[in-house]
Amino acid sequence: MRVMKKGVFVVSGSFVLLVIIVLAGLSYFQMTHFNSNVLINGTNVGGMTASKALDTLESAVSKNTVYIGDQKVYDGKDTNMGFTSDDMSGVKALLKEQRTFFPSSKPIRYSLKPKKINSEQIKTMEADLKKKLLAMNKGLQAPKDASAQLEQGKIVVTKSVPGNQYDVNGMLKAYEKQAYNSVVRLNRLYLKPVGKNSPVIKKEKQQLADLAKQTVSYKVQDKVYTFKGSDLSATVSKEGKLVIDPTNIKTKLDGINASQSTLDKGYTFKTHSGSVIQVEGGTYGWALNVDAEAKRIEEAFMKKESSILAYNVYGKGWSTVGVGYHVTTNHGIGDTYVEVSIKDQHIWVYKDGKLKVSTNVVTGTHIYNEDTPKGVWYIEYKQSPSTLKGSEVGNSNYSVHVNYWAPFTLGGVGFHDASWRTNWSSDAYIKYGSGGCVNTPPSVMKSVYDNLEQNEPVIVY
């Protein structure tokens, strides 16, 4: 049996009491003071009470400088941080947040927005920083994203290539977290390219695969052509939209024009006598506007339309939108037209396949090279009455009144009555013809005029 002396118990109790007092004091100090290495907006408040820390912040000056790594990229004017007594609750909240039971020397950086902060100063500084970063990027290499491409029915993915341009948006977000610091220190963040295995590329590949399966039926007059998505070259834009290379589409449209359009081509024509001749093209005819139609076909693929009708055609002469597109019979001439034979000095007016008027005429003077131009033209318009003005051999400036006028060339050649003419012989045109027009006897001109239609073909041979 051991017997403890009374003095030993007294000493032990005093020691425990001392430890309790020390720990209580330490706890109180930790509750009321910041740890040694705490910064608020870049200002060291280590070891301070909340009140002392606020006093220090109220008198602190903001340097308004920004560093990227060790490089100073922005140096603004010194300003007051803007702290006031209204910010005590914010300081106390940080004091509570950083509290540890035992003292800590771990560096802690806080960013606290003052209640009365000069927001305009912050916005101006952020805008200036953005300009600076963008200016720095101009001299740096942008990353190259991987991209999916459709080429002749196959989908290929190009590799990404890293660059050294800054991620401006990412660095501005990092700045926003430190915007109230006296000195802002940003890490270098670089733009990252889109990788070949990214969700973005997977989505692009699917879009292109869907395109390759598509077809668009394209109807031109009574013929249908099939455009295949697998024949196209295409990519996907950063906005996720298909970008189709129109080259192959335009090549096919050129082929359609070559085989089917009628503009600037010769015509096979069966005359009144039944003989088949070849006549040069004039202004009559149409052709596809390749650029406009290629764009429509591209849009059809992007909208997943299965068929469209040709729409944009053009021509020349009086009507630049083209004439004869809706005519598919008789080699594109149809069954309503005017036949003009210079050799016979005669015209035949047909309507819906029926001969309506047949009459002798006098065409342009041959010896003066004022012949009525051969070719396939069209009636530009009709006018009754009309005053014809122009010039001809032997008459540099004339103005004559006619009752009926129907031009078929931009040069002013057309059908009209000629009350002044007395020589209607079949060879009058050789020496005594017109200035190029088809002089028609007044007695039949009204009938000719009434049976003419705007845009109908005029075949001169």
Side-chain angles (χ1 to χ4, degrees):
M1 179 175 182
R2 297 182 63 185
V3 178
M4 301 298 294
K5 295 182 178 180
K6 185 177 180 180
V8 173
F9 283 110
V10 171
V11 171
S12 298
S14 298
F15 179 76
V16 171
L17 179 62
L18 178 61
V19 170
I20 292 172
I21 292 172
V22 170
L23 290 176
L26 178 62
S27 176
Y28 176 77
F29 185 87
Q30 286 298 103
M31 288 178 63
T32 57
H33 292 73
F34 283 96
N35 279 311
S36 63
N37 207 1
V38 176
L39 280 74
I40 298 178
N41 293 8
T43 298
N44 194 331
V45 295
M48 299 182 186
T49 64
S51 178
K52 179 62 176 177
L54 183 59
D55 289 341
T56 301
L57 291 171
E58 287 183 36
S59 61
V61 173
S62 178
K63 297 293 184 181
N64 294 321
T65 56
V66 180
Y67 284 85
I68 298 178
D70 296 329
Q71 180 185 5
K72 183 188 290 186
V73 296
Y74 184 84
D75 191 1
K77 294 181 180 180
D78 292 355
T79 60
N80 184 277
M81 283 192 172
F83 284 99
T84 66
S85 58
D86 294 337
D87 296 299
M88 178 57 79
S89 61
V91 174
K92 287 183 176 180
L94 294 180
L95 175 63
K96 183 177 181 181
E97 182 179 334
Q98 61 85 54
R99 185 181 300 159
T100 58
F101 185 80
F102 291 105
S104 172
S105 60
K106 180 181 178 180
I108 302 178
R109 297 175 180 271
Y110 289 115
S111 183
L112 180 62
K113 180 180 179 180
K115 298 286 187 181
K116 298 181 179 179
I117 187 65
N118 184 349
S119 58
E120 290 300 318
Q121 165 70 17
I122 298 297
K123 289 180 181 178
T124 299
M125 189 170 170
E126 184 175 4
D128 289 344
L129 176 60
K130 182 177 181 179
K131 290 180 182 178
K132 178 67 176 179
L133 290 171
L134 291 174
M136 293 169 67
N137 268 351
K138 289 183 179 179
L140 302 175
Q141 183 66 43
K144 185 177 180 181
D145 295 337
S147 66
Q149 300 175 359
L150 176 63
E151 298 176 358
Q152 297 180 343
K154 294 182 179 180
I155 297 175
V156 295
V157 178
T158 62
K159 293 182 179 180
S160 62
V161 179
N164 58 357
Q165 279 192 343
Y166 292 117
D167 179 356
V168 176
N169 290 332
M171 294 184 74
L172 288 177
K173 287 181 180 178
Y175 165 78
E176 290 173 0
K177 294 179 180 179
Q178 304 182 49
Y180 312 108
N181 289 358
S182 173
V183 177
V184 176
R185 297 188 179 277
L186 302 176
N187 294 323
R188 298 179 190 274
L189 300 179
Y190 298 100
L191 289 173
K192 295 181 179 180
V194 174
K196 65 178 182 179
N197 295 320
S198 69
V200 172
I201 298 302
K202 289 181 181 178
K203 185 177 180 180
E204 288 183 5
K205 289 170 67 177
Q206 186 60 55
Q207 285 178 271
L208 295 173
D210 291 342
L211 173 62
K213 296 175 184 177
Q214 287 178 246
T215 59
V216 174
S217 295
Y218 179 64
K219 188 174 183 180
V220 183
Q221 292 182 312
D222 56 354
K223 295 184 179 180
V224 177
Y225 301 87
T226 299
F227 286 80
K228 297 180 180 179
S230 57
D231 292 335
L232 303 177
S233 294
T235 57
V236 180
S237 71
K238 290 184 177 180
E239 295 74 28
K241 294 183 179 180
L242 284 172
V243 180
I244 297 174
D245 183 344
T247 302
N248 290 348
I249 296 176
K250 290 183 178 181
T251 298
K252 189 161 185 174
L253 288 172
D254 285 335
I256 295 172
N257 264 340
S259 64
Q260 192 172 343
S261 69
T262 57
L263 190 63
D264 295 324
K265 295 179 181 178
Y267 287 80
T268 298
F269 178 69
K270 187 176 182 179
T271 70
H272 67 285
S273 64
S275 60
V276 178
I277 62 173
Q278 294 293 318
V279 186
E280 296 178 6
T283 55
Y284 181 80
W286 62 272
L288 295 171
N289 183 325
V290 170
D291 289 339
E293 289 299 275
K295 186 174 182 180
R296 291 183 65 238
I297 294 171
E298 287 178 52
E299 291 174 350
F301 273 110
M302 289 188 280
K303 293 178 181 178
K304 297 187 177 180
E305 296 176 349
S306 60
S307 63
I308 61 172
L309 302 176
Y311 177 78
N312 295 286
V313 298
Y314 71 94
K316 61 183 184 180
W318 184 262
S319 174
T320 57
V321 298
V323 291
Y325 176 77
H326 297 290
V327 179
T328 58
T329 60
N330 194 16
H331 305 285
I333 291 175
D335 55 10
T336 296
Y337 58 88
V338 183
E339 178 183 347
V340 180
S341 171
I342 293 177
K343 179 181 178 181
D344 295 333
Q345 289 292 286
H346 200 93
I347 67 172
W348 296 264
V349 181
Y350 291 88
K351 191 162 188 172
D352 298 327
K354 297 180 179 180
L355 179 63
K356 292 295 184 178
V357 184
S358 175
T359 180
N360 291 329
V361 293
V362 175
T363 59
T365 307
H366 179 66
I367 64 170
Y368 298 129
N369 295 317
E370 290 187 328
D371 302 86
T372 301
K374 296 178 181 179
V376 181
W377 315 91
Y378 61 91
I379 300 296
E380 295 175 347
Y381 61 89
K382 294 166 62 177
Q383 191 176 63
S384 177
S386 183
T387 299
L388 307 182
K389 296 181 180 181
S391 62
E392 60 184 348
V393 175
N395 189 353
S396 60
N397 187 12
Y398 68 80
S399 176
V400 296
H401 173 84
V402 296
N403 290 318
Y404 304 99
W405 169 236
F408 55 82
T409 77
L410 282 180
V413 173
F415 300 100
H416 63 78
D417 49 298
S419 58
W420 58 89
R421 176 170 291 283
T422 58
N423 186 351
W424 293 94
S425 63
S426 61
D427 60 357
Y429 77 101
I430 296 176
K431 294 182 179 180
Y432 308 106
S434 70
C437 287
V438 180
N439 286 182
T440 307
S443 60
V444 294
M445 184 59 207
K446 183 179 186 308
S447 180
V448 171
Y449 185 87
D450 289 344
N451 282 284
L452 295 179
E453 296 180 11
Q454 187 178 27
N455 294 335
E456 75 171 85
V458 178
I459 302 94
V460 182
Y461 62 92

